[in-house]
Amino acid sequence: TDFDGTIFMQDTGHILFDRHGCGTEHRQRLDEQIHTGARSFRDVSEEMWGSLNVPFDESMKEMKEHLVIDPDFADFHDFCIREGVAFNVISAGLEPVLRGVLNEFLGHQVSERIDIISNAAEISADGSEWKPIWRHDSQLGHDKSLSVKECRAHLRKQLPGNRNPLIIFVGDGVSDLPAAREADVLFARAGLRLEEYCREHNIEYIPFDSFADIEREVLRVL
């Protein structure tokens, strides 16, 4: 599953950029450059993260104050553990931020059971420098389609008879578009960009409003 806008209702980066970086208006202009194709996701993201000036611990206080988690996510994650469904986060964000947020909202014991596939980062002690270390050498920084393919290949080796695993992907926005065609079952948060993209390109998907919707559908699939 994606993280920003999917597990959490807001974007972790946007919260920080608006309060401790380039500011809301400039961030919105940069977002528009991504949507129009004027600049790459990686290029714009580097500018946004590079604008930050906030210590990491202070950034986690901002997350705790302003983020809202999907009310049914914790129950869904418990469901995955009970049913033996391998659960991973695939994100275009920064791993230290995502891990810190999961620690804050779910506790370390639950957080450590969630693998995060995202970008690394170098963050100075005083918070004056935030530098993404991109997972892939591409305009996306983290190409989620490659991560899904890598996951499928890894799991296939573990299954008897070289069978294909069933890949379920959950997302909401523009950074999820590359992964949309790679999943066997695709969930798109209702009313957002991923759903719009699926409609435009005739990609089969299941809309959802909360992870309770996803749990019901995954149980049916199982």
Side-chain angles (χ1 to χ4, degrees), residues 98-113:
L98 309 186
R99 179 64 68 194
V101 167
L102 289 178
N103 289 342
E104 288 285 343
F105 280 82
L106 301 178
H108 290 260
Q109 191 171 6
V110 175
S111 172
E112 68 184 11
R113 301 190 70 168

Side-chain angles (χ1 to χ4, degrees), residues 11-23:
D11 186 291
T12 51
H14 289 180
I15 288 174
L16 296 180
F17 306 146
D18 292 355
R19 291 167 175 79
H20 300 283
C22 56

Side-chain angles (χ1 to χ4, degrees), residues 57-82:
D57 288 346
E58 184 66 27
S59 76
M60 288 300 103
K61 293 179 183 177
E62 293 279 5
M63 298 293 105
K64 191 69 173 177
E65 181 177 354
H66 297 288
L67 276 179
V68 176
I69 193 170
D70 184 296
D72 298 306
F73 173 73
D75 287 342
F76 175 76
H77 182 247
D78 288 343
F79 159 79
C80 289
I81 292 173
R82 290 196 309 271

Side-chain angles (χ1 to χ4, degrees), residues 35-219:
H35 295 320
T36 62
R39 295 172 65 190
S40 71
F41 181 90
R42 174 172 172 166
D43 186 31
V44 169
S45 295
E46 280 190 348
E47 180 174 339
M48 289 179 176
W49 288 112
S51 73
L52 287 181
N53 187 2
V54 58
F56 182 79
D57 288 346
E58 184 66 27
S59 76
M60 288 300 103
K61 293 179 183 177
E62 293 279 5
M63 298 293 105
K64 191 69 173 177
E65 181 177 354
H66 297 288
L67 276 179
V68 176
I69 193 170
D70 184 296
D72 298 306
F73 173 73
D75 287 342
F76 175 76
H77 182 247
D78 288 343
F79 159 79
C80 289
I81 292 173
R82 290 196 309 271
E83 296 294 333
V85 177
F87 182 91
N88 305 277
V89 165
I90 298 183
S91 172
L94 305 186
E95 193 277 340
V97 174
L98 309 186
R99 179 64 68 194
V101 167
L102 289 178
N103 289 342
E104 288 285 343
F105 280 82
L106 301 178
H108 290 260
Q109 191 171 6
V110 175
S111 172
E112 68 184 11
R113 301 190 70 168
I114 299 176
D115 289 332
I116 299 176
I117 305 167
S118 61
N119 304 296
E122 293 178 355
I123 305 170
S124 63
D126 65 357
S128 62
E129 183 177 1
W130 291 60
K131 181 181 178 182
I133 307 299
W134 300 109
R135 188 174 187 87
H136 297 125
D137 185 16
S138 71
Q139 290 188 338
L140 295 169
H142 177 196
D143 186 339
K144 293 183 181 182
S145 67
L146 288 180
S147 289
V148 174
K149 290 176 182 176
E150 291 165 2
C151 178
R152 188 185 297 278
H154 173 72
L155 292 174
R156 186 182 292 130
K157 294 177 182 178
Q158 301 179 14
L159 293 173
N162 205 34
R163 291 187 299 143
N164 269 322
L166 180 73
I167 302 293
I168 298 170
F169 184 78
V170 185
D172 75 298
V174 62
S175 69
D176 299 318
L177 306 187
R181 293 186 182 275
E182 300 299 330
D184 301 305
V185 180
L186 174 64
F187 290 93
R189 189 172 282 283
L192 298 180
R193 182 66 185 102
L194 181 58
E195 180 179 48
E196 182 181 326
Y197 176 85
C198 291
R199 288 177 174 175
E200 290 171 355
H201 295 83
N202 296 316
I203 297 173
E204 187 175 351
Y205 74 100
I206 302 170
F208 75 96
D209 291 309
S210 80
F211 273 83
D213 301 329
I214 299 172
E215 181 175 333
R216 285 192 294 270
E217 288 295 324
V218 172
L219 187 60

